[in-house]
Amino acid sequence: MKNKKIIFPFLMVLFVVGLVACSSEQDDNSGSSNTEDHSEMDHSSMNHSSSGEVPEGLQESEDPTYPVGSKVIINASHMEGMEGAEATVSGAYDTTAYVISYKPTKGGNEVTNHKWVIQEEVEDASSEPLEPGTEVTLNAEHMEGMDGAKATIESAEQTTVYMLDYTPTTGGEEVKNHKWVTEEELSSAE
């Protein structure tokens, strides 16, 4: 009888601990989704800097608002430390820029509303802008798992895109040849 008095409270404690563990695991999963909005995603896998190579067929802008060498302020938050950073234009190109959603080739959640992929980074793209809803294959390496990924065009705009050198406002190393920022996301620093 004495053993039953000890075992019963012990079993009750185990039961309660099990319920609490299941409950907190359920809470952790209840707010998650199968997609990631680009504005809130972890950009640690993003290739902030690049070699400066541009896709074949990309045309330099003949008369960009911000010529190469211009000092600009970035008014976009594609990644932490970008908004408000002073940058130097290292390239200006006329193209169609796309907001896309895609599933990384290396697994993980779908990335939604990624800015920007350009016409020349879409496999087999013609010179005509693609319509929202078009499914494409990417030839871009801005983020891990992007190259070769299947993507959906969310929106498109014909614009000048810029490659930039800047130091994040949060500190750290200078980012060289960052791809891409649109003209509407910049203002003059001069």
Side-chain angles (χ1 to χ4, degrees):
M1 182 78 166
K2 191 174 185 180
N3 286 341
K4 286 184 181 179
K5 286 183 181 180
I6 294 172
I7 293 174
F8 183 75
F10 180 73
L11 290 174
M12 288 303 294
V13 169
L14 285 176
F15 178 74
V16 170
V17 169
L19 281 176
V20 170
C22 288
S23 173
S24 63
E25 183 178 315
Q26 199 169 29
D27 289 348
D28 290 347
N29 292 331
S30 63
S32 69
S33 69
N34 292 332
T35 63
E36 291 184 32
D37 182 31
H38 179 75
S39 63
E40 297 175 6
M41 68 182 291
D42 174 15
H43 291 93
S44 60
S45 65
M46 187 163 191
N47 298 331
H48 306 296
S49 291
S50 76
S51 66
E53 283 186 46
V54 297
E56 191 175 313
L58 182 60
Q59 298 297 311
E60 286 188 26
S61 180
E62 290 184 23
D63 188 28
T65 302
Y66 306 107
V68 172
S70 298
K71 299 288 185 194
V72 294
I73 302 296
I74 303 171
N75 303 311
S77 56
H78 301 176
M79 65 187 69
E80 188 177 345
M82 182 179 257
E83 181 84 36
E86 184 171 311
T88 302
V89 174
S90 56
Y93 308 90
D94 291 329
T95 189
T96 302
Y98 297 103
V99 177
I100 60 161
S101 295
Y102 71 97
K103 182 81 169 162
T105 59
K106 298 189 185 251
N109 292 339
E110 181 181 25
V111 177
T112 60
N113 299 314
H114 175 85
K115 294 181 180 177
W116 300 95
V117 171
I118 60 172
Q119 184 83 13
E120 293 76 10
E121 294 173 321
V122 174
E123 190 173 288
D124 300 326
S126 69
S127 59
E128 295 299 313
L130 299 166
E131 295 293 320
T134 303
E135 293 189 8
V136 299
T137 300
L138 303 176
N139 286 334
E141 298 178 354
H142 307 178
M143 298 185 72
E144 193 174 316
M146 181 178 268
D147 193 35
K150 302 296 182 203
T152 302
I153 303 294
E154 301 295 341
S155 65
E157 69 178 81
Q158 290 189 285
T159 186
T160 301
V161 294
Y162 293 87
M163 193 162 38
L164 304 174
D165 298 338
Y166 73 96
T167 300
T169 59
T170 53
E173 292 183 28
E174 180 181 23
V175 175
K176 301 286 282 177
N177 301 312
H178 174 77
K179 299 172 185 171
W180 304 103
V181 177
T182 62
E183 192 163 289
E184 295 76 20
E185 296 173 318
L186 299 174
S187 56
S188 178
E190 299 168 344

